[in-house]
Amino acid sequence: YAVVDAATVMATHVSKLMREHLAELLVLDDVSQLSERLQQQAPKLAEALSSALPTVLQLKIFRYLLKEQISLSDVQTIAIALVEGAEITQDPVLLAADVRCALKRVIVRQIMGERSVLSAFTLVDTLEQTLLNALQQAQQQNPKASIDSFPVEPNLLSQLQQKMPTVVESLHEQGLPAVLLVMPQLRPLLARYGAVFAKGLKVLSYNEIPEHIQIDVVGTLG
């Protein structure tokens, strides 16, 4: 029995590792397989996606989504979001955000479970404004600046590093999922910082919350 238990533990561990590193494991051949699956389900949609976005760009978007534990199983919904979004931008971070919005019901339900209310922290107004100013300044200096990696002041970065884990601790102590609710343009950056500074923190944007979900702001980060 000990051998079986050890094997089970090992399999669980490997499975967890693979889930966490799926983004790195995904390659162009996998994108082709997703495209083939879409072709079988919705041929015209598959053609539209292929015309709208090069395969390499699709790979970047899918890797971004997998890094945030977003399933690629609903390939039709993902494709529709990408085809529509590609009319406005070719930025993989922004296109991934479009997909997240399209999958918002699934994303939020996975976080909430059977709860009827989404409890979350938000940013203090001054911190939110400081980050928005930093983003605006970065985009003025470089219009192609990525919204998930624009530079912020070292003291502000240090503040986020110290305060983000307290959001996780506070909500977990209350038996609640760790959720930080932010403006859409700040979500990519704060999600990236959250992955580094506060493992387990789910960063959602306001436009990723389905209309029927009630929000309870239980604290602020700042």
Side-chain angles (χ1 to χ4, degrees), residues 130-143:
T130 301
L131 288 168
L132 286 171
N133 289 342
L135 172 59
Q136 187 177 17
Q137 187 176 356
Q139 290 180 327
Q140 284 173 350
Q141 293 173 352
N142 176 16

Side-chain angles (χ1 to χ4, degrees), residues 70-87:
I70 304 298
S71 170
L72 303 181
S73 59
D74 189 353
V75 67
Q76 286 195 53
T77 299
I78 292 171
I80 291 168
L82 290 178
V83 169
E84 291 176 352
E87 294 179 1

Side-chain angles (χ1 to χ4, degrees), residues 115-184:
R115 295 176 180 83
S116 57
V117 177
L118 179 67
S119 301
F121 269 59
T122 57
L123 296 181
V124 168
D125 289 344
T126 51
L127 175 57
E128 180 177 83
Q129 195 56 53
T130 301
L131 288 168
L132 286 171
N133 289 342
L135 172 59
Q136 187 177 17
Q137 187 176 356
Q139 290 180 327
Q140 284 173 350
Q141 293 173 352
N142 176 16
K144 292 185 177 180
S146 179
I147 62 171
D148 73 332
S149 58
F150 62 89
V152 299
E153 294 291 335
N155 60 338
L156 183 57
L157 190 60
S158 177
Q159 181 184 351
L160 290 169
Q161 186 173 3
Q162 291 173 5
K163 298 287 182 67
M164 279 184 137
T166 65
V167 175
V168 179
E169 291 165 14
S170 176
L171 287 164
H172 281 178
E173 282 173 4
Q174 300 174 60
L176 298 168
V179 177
L180 177 64
L181 197 53
V182 301
M183 294 183 72

Side-chain angles (χ1 to χ4, degrees), residues 10-210:
M10 182 62 73
T12 303
H13 180 64
V14 170
S15 176
K16 181 173 181 289
L17 279 175
M18 286 188 68
R19 277 200 311 275
E20 291 176 354
H21 296 280
L22 265 179
E24 299 159 34
L25 299 172
L26 194 77
V27 295
L28 283 171
D29 285 350
D30 298 315
V31 177
S32 297
Q33 288 180 11
L34 284 169
S35 179
E36 287 171 13
R37 182 147 60 93
L38 180 63
Q39 180 75 36
Q40 292 171 357
Q41 297 177 15
K44 288 187 178 179
L45 180 57
E47 288 174 21
L49 178 59
S50 179
S51 299
L53 295 171
T55 307
V56 172
L57 186 52
Q58 290 183 47
L59 177 63
K60 286 182 181 178
I61 297 163
F62 295 153
R63 280 179 172 172
Y64 192 94
L65 292 166
L66 288 174
K67 197 178 291 183
E68 297 196 328
Q69 308 289 304
I70 304 298
S71 170
L72 303 181
S73 59
D74 189 353
V75 67
Q76 286 195 53
T77 299
I78 292 171
I80 291 168
L82 290 178
V83 169
E84 291 176 352
E87 294 179 1
I88 301 166
T89 182
Q90 294 280 303
D91 184 321
V93 177
L94 294 176
L95 288 168
D98 288 338
V99 173
R100 286 181 59 93
C101 285
L103 297 174
K104 61 187 177 182
R105 289 180 181 273
V106 175
I107 292 171
V108 172
R109 182 51 58 197
Q110 284 177 341
I111 293 170
M112 289 178 61
E114 297 304 312
R115 295 176 180 83
S116 57
V117 177
L118 179 67
S119 301
F121 269 59
T122 57
L123 296 181
V124 168
D125 289 344
T126 51
L127 175 57
E128 180 177 83
Q129 195 56 53
T130 301
L131 288 168
L132 286 171
N133 289 342
L135 172 59
Q136 187 177 17
Q137 187 176 356
Q139 290 180 327
Q140 284 173 350
Q141 293 173 352
N142 176 16
K144 292 185 177 180
S146 179
I147 62 171
D148 73 332
S149 58
F150 62 89
V152 299
E153 294 291 335
N155 60 338
L156 183 57
L157 190 60
S158 177
Q159 181 184 351
L160 290 169
Q161 186 173 3
Q162 291 173 5
K163 298 287 182 67
M164 279 184 137
T166 65
V167 175
V168 179
E169 291 165 14
S170 176
L171 287 164
H172 281 178
E173 282 173 4
Q174 300 174 60
L176 298 168
V179 177
L180 177 64
L181 197 53
V182 301
M183 294 183 72
Q185 55 267 58
L186 295 179
R187 199 210 74 83
L189 180 77
L190 291 171
R192 190 166 69 85
Y193 287 157
V196 177
F197 301 148
K199 197 170 177 63
L201 179 64
K202 301 295 184 183
V203 183
L204 297 174
S205 75
Y206 290 108
N207 62 358
E208 291 174 354
I209 310 301

